[in-house]
Amino acid sequence: MAVWYDEVLNENVRFGLRLKETLFMGENEYQTVSVVDTHEMGRALLIDDLWMTSERDEKGYHEMIVHPAMTTAPKIERVLIIGGGDGGTAREVLRYPDVKHVDLVEIDGMVVDVSKKYLPMIGSAWDDPRLHVTIGDGIAWVKNTDLAPYDVILVDGSDPVGPAEGLFNKTFYQACMERMTEGGVFVTQSESTMLFLDTHVEMVKTIAEVFGSAHPYYRDVFLYSAGTWSWTYASKTTKPTAINDDRMKFISEITEIYNREIHLGIFAVPNFVRRRLA
Amino acid sequence: MAVWYDEVLNENVRFGLRLKETLFMGENEYQTVSVVDTHEMGRALLIDDLWMTSERDEKGYHEMIVHPAMTTAPKIERVLIIGGGDGGTAREVLRYPDVKHVDLVEIDGMVVDVSKKYLPMIGSAWDDPRLHVTIGDGIAWVKNTDLAPYDVILVDGSDPVGPAEGLFNKTFYQACMERMTEGGVFVTQSESTMLFLDTHVEMVKTIAEVFGSAHPYYRDVFLYSAGTWSWTYASKTTKPTAINDDRMKFISEITEIYNREIHLGIFAVPNFVRRRLA
């Protein structure tokens, strides 16, 4: 018998993968967490029954949220990851030898525990001594004015419902900006332009108000099955074109997707978004 | 009751839309053809139970197959479309006033009839006097050495099984090349890099053997739910960077997605494909 799990993206669209087996199902005060093994995509993590990441296509998301910031920020010594409990974002950040300290602040300890146990190929850098994991609220974290500032802040949260909701408002972006070094780069995932265009446009506009400008960028994520996915890049002084050649050369040799041409290409804004942002 | 139709992309992946109603179901010597009305994507065409195009996202495919060729070919007076029975590719081609004659050669007359009847918003240029529709075999068409040559040839066929199979081999590409004017540009859809990477790589390599070089380009198509989709651009002498500024300016004002930055960005090749093509 073929067993499928279909994510219902909204009441009118669903995306299913045929399962080999269910490895974990749990629930806590924040959300439900599951890990399944699939025929096509290898092992995959679900939160609140939505596909989050899978063994086979995770680089399409993790390389995209990490490298545009890491190849352009003037310094990359101190990095903050909010969310990112599967460990994939931290792994990509830690590829750079210049990184000295990474704080990963994930609200749901179950995501980290389950990812360590069932998805070690995604979070393959948990043991790196530069990585400091805190189970806690990322929103409260960035409001702590005693923190040493970060060179790069990456917001790797889920959709703007449930515990991630507070990652989508002006107060949060403002606090992030205030926790950054001169020229520091902020990136957040910013939703699908097909299924959540209003959310995407609102995020880009709000981030631009806070930082002075915002640069959305676009690429598909197979597992999300949501057409063009987006992330948004912002900095008070650094531009996405300020590529550090040494870092670009270094990282392009080990990435699955990301390279200089991809970097420059993903910042192209489709007309239908451009018209909404104008 | 919620009624869904799920395309089974392969035995392990499926993508479903909730239906309002089924408008047409037919079968002929080539394939099955259906039109449904969906809650999320408006009306949609299926061939052999695979999603082909939908009212809401069709521009993500049709703008991509058409405009990179049309903004760079030295001349665009005579255009050949092979396949494209839904009329969307022809509509985009006919936006350019410089176009004088378009041959559309579609093997399955039922696709054209059904598209005219149920998808008039996609094929909105059927009555343009410059458009000449032939129901027949595109492969035989390009082998006719009496044809006047084309400035642009676009291959808008389905997957390499069934009637479209012959659109994926060297003899066919060779015949297309021989039917083109000096500097003419050839573009074909060239499959998903996630689900059909071997086919994609084989196509790009074969087209490069015929034309001397080949330039794959990439963007998602929501309805295909197949991650990064691809098209491949080839010409004996024209390069994808040879943008005609007047045409680019003209078309960018009326396209939903396509513009100069998108054009330049889509030709970026992900590392995992680049390594296979090296």
Side-chain angles (χ1 to χ4, degrees):
Chain A
M1 193 183 72
V3 178
W4 291 78
Y5 175 75
D6 293 286
E7 167 179 333
V8 180
L9 283 84
N10 64 29
E11 62 184 356
N12 300 321
V13 184
R14 67 188 183 188
F15 180 66
L17 296 176
R18 192 157 73 88
L19 304 189
K20 287 183 182 169
E21 60 177 322
T22 299
L23 298 167
F24 178 84
M25 292 184 77
E27 186 168 0
N28 58 40
E29 61 184 303
Y30 301 113
Q31 52 204 4
T32 67
V33 178
S34 321
V35 180
V36 295
D37 195 7
T38 73
H39 286 271
E40 186 72 26
M41 302 306 287
R43 291 186 177 186
L45 173 71
L46 296 114
I47 291 181
D48 283 342
D49 300 327
L50 302 177
W51 297 113
M52 287 290 125
T53 193
S54 82
E55 206 175 330
R56 187 168 158 216
D57 86 323
E58 52 99 7
K59 291 185 174 173
Y61 178 89
H62 292 124
E63 291 187 4
M64 288 305 123
I65 195 170
V66 170
H67 299 305
M70 296 297 284
T71 55
T72 55
K75 279 197 307 172
I76 55 171
E77 290 182 8
R78 280 179 54 82
V79 178
L80 170 63
I81 299 166
I82 293 174
D86 58 48
T89 294
R91 179 203 65 214
E92 290 299 317
V93 166
L94 290 161
R95 291 188 190 281
Y96 296 87
D98 290 349
V99 170
K100 288 186 177 159
H101 182 102
V102 178
D103 281 317
L104 186 154
V105 183
E106 162 65 53
I107 202 162
D108 185 349
M110 185 186 274
V111 174
V112 173
D113 292 342
V114 158
S115 297
K116 283 182 177 173
K117 181 165 179 188
Y118 295 105
L119 303 169
M121 69 301 282
I122 294 179
S124 54
W126 292 117
D127 296 332
D128 190 307
R130 297 171 295 167
L131 177 60
H132 304 263
V133 177
T134 301
I135 303 305
D137 180 0
I139 298 159
W141 184 274
V142 294
K143 289 180 180 162
N144 173 3
T145 53
D146 293 335
L147 284 176
Y150 295 99
D151 302 314
V152 171
I153 296 182
L154 305 174
V155 184
D156 181 10
S158 50
D159 301 326
V161 287
E165 197 173 349
L167 304 178
F168 291 77
N169 69 54
K170 193 165 179 177
T171 320
F172 171 69
Y173 305 138
Q174 185 75 36
C176 287
M177 192 185 69
E178 289 166 5
R179 296 290 86 70
M180 299 182 79
T181 52
E182 178 73 22
V185 175
F186 169 89
V187 167
T188 178
Q189 76 88 358
S190 51
E191 299 293 324
S192 157
T193 59
M194 174 63 76
L195 298 177
F196 309 109
L197 181 60
D198 288 344
T199 304
H200 172 65
V201 167
E202 183 64 24
M203 285 181 80
V204 176
K205 286 184 171 176
T206 308
I207 293 167
E209 280 173 33
V210 171
F211 283 86
S213 67
H215 307 273
Y217 59 94
Y218 302 94
R219 201 166 186 282
D220 62 277
V221 176
F222 178 83
L223 196 71
Y224 297 172
S225 192
T228 308
W229 201 262
S230 75
W231 300 263
T232 295
Y233 176 114
S235 171
K236 279 169 83 174
T237 55
T238 304
K239 298 281 175 237
T241 46
I243 296 170
N244 177 307
D245 290 332
D246 290 341
R247 280 188 231 143
M248 178 61 83
K249 184 166 185 300
F250 164 76
I251 203 68
S252 295
E253 283 171 14
I254 53 181
T255 39
E256 187 173 297
I257 295 159
Y258 182 81
N259 56 44
R260 181 184 296 268
E261 290 71 33
I262 294 282
H263 178 106
L264 296 172
I266 56 183
F267 285 95
V269 182
N271 286 347
F272 71 97
V273 182
R274 192 181 276 191
R275 288 172 191 138
R276 288 283 303 271
L277 292 173
Chain B
M1 192 183 73
V3 179
W4 291 78
Y5 175 74
D6 293 287
E7 167 179 334
V8 181
L9 284 83
N10 65 29
E11 61 185 358
N12 299 320
V13 185
R14 68 187 183 189
F15 179 67
L17 297 177
R18 192 158 73 88
L19 303 190
K20 287 183 181 169
E21 60 176 323
T22 299
L23 299 166
F24 177 84
M25 291 185 78
E27 185 167 3
N28 58 38
E29 60 184 304
Y30 301 113
Q31 52 204 3
T32 66
V33 178
S34 321
V35 180
V36 296
D37 195 7
T38 73
H39 286 271
E40 186 73 26
M41 303 305 288
R43 291 187 177 186
L45 173 71
L46 297 114
I47 291 182
D48 283 342
D49 301 327
L50 304 178
W51 297 113
M52 288 290 123
T53 193
S54 83
E55 207 176 328
R56 188 168 157 216
D57 85 323
E58 53 98 7
K59 291 186 175 173
Y61 179 89
H62 293 124
E63 291 187 5
M64 288 304 125
I65 195 170
V66 168
H67 299 305
M70 295 297 282
T71 55
T72 55
K75 279 197 308 174
I76 56 171
E77 291 182 7
R78 281 179 53 82
V79 177
L80 171 63
I81 300 166
I82 294 175
D86 58 47
T89 295
R91 178 201 66 215
E92 289 299 316
V93 166
L94 289 161
R95 291 190 191 280
Y96 295 88
D98 291 348
V99 170
K100 289 186 176 161
H101 182 103
V102 177
D103 282 316
L104 185 154
V105 184
E106 163 63 54
I107 202 162
D108 186 350
M110 185 186 275
V111 174
V112 173
D113 293 342
V114 158
S115 297
K116 283 182 178 175
K117 182 166 179 185
Y118 295 105
L119 305 169
M121 69 299 283
I122 294 179
S124 55
W126 291 116
D127 296 333
D128 191 306
R130 298 171 294 167
L131 177 60
H132 303 264
V133 177
T134 301
I135 304 305
D137 179 1
I139 299 160
W141 184 274
V142 294
K143 288 180 180 162
N144 174 4
T145 54
D146 293 335
L147 286 176
Y150 294 100
D151 302 315
V152 171
I153 296 182
L154 305 174
V155 184
D156 181 10
S158 50
D159 302 326
V161 289
E165 196 174 350
L167 304 177
F168 291 77
N169 68 55
K170 193 166 179 176
T171 319
F172 171 69
Y173 304 138
Q174 184 76 36
C176 287
M177 191 184 72
E178 289 168 4
R179 295 290 85 70
M180 298 182 82
T181 52
E182 179 73 21
V185 174
F186 169 90
V187 166
T188 179
Q189 76 87 357
S190 51
E191 300 292 326
S192 156
T193 58
M194 175 62 77
L195 298 178
F196 309 109
L197 181 59
D198 288 344
T199 303
H200 172 65
V201 167
E202 183 65 23
M203 285 182 80
V204 177
K205 286 184 171 177
T206 307
I207 293 168
E209 281 174 32
V210 170
F211 283 85
S213 67
H215 307 273
Y217 61 93
Y218 303 93
R219 202 167 186 282
D220 62 277
V221 176
F222 178 83
L223 196 70
Y224 296 172
S225 191
T228 308
W229 200 262
S230 75
W231 299 262
T232 296
Y233 176 114
S235 170
K236 279 170 84 174
T237 56
T238 304
K239 299 281 176 236
T241 47
I243 295 170
N244 177 306
D245 290 332
D246 290 340
R247 279 188 231 142
M248 179 60 84
K249 185 166 184 300
F250 164 76
I251 203 68
S252 296
E253 283 171 15
I254 52 181
T255 40
E256 186 173 301
I257 296 159
Y258 181 81
N259 58 42
R260 183 184 294 269
E261 291 69 35
I262 294 282
H263 177 106
L264 296 171
I266 55 182
F267 285 95
V269 182
N271 286 348
F272 71 96
V273 181
R274 191 181 276 191
R275 287 171 190 138
R276 288 283 303 271
L277 292 173

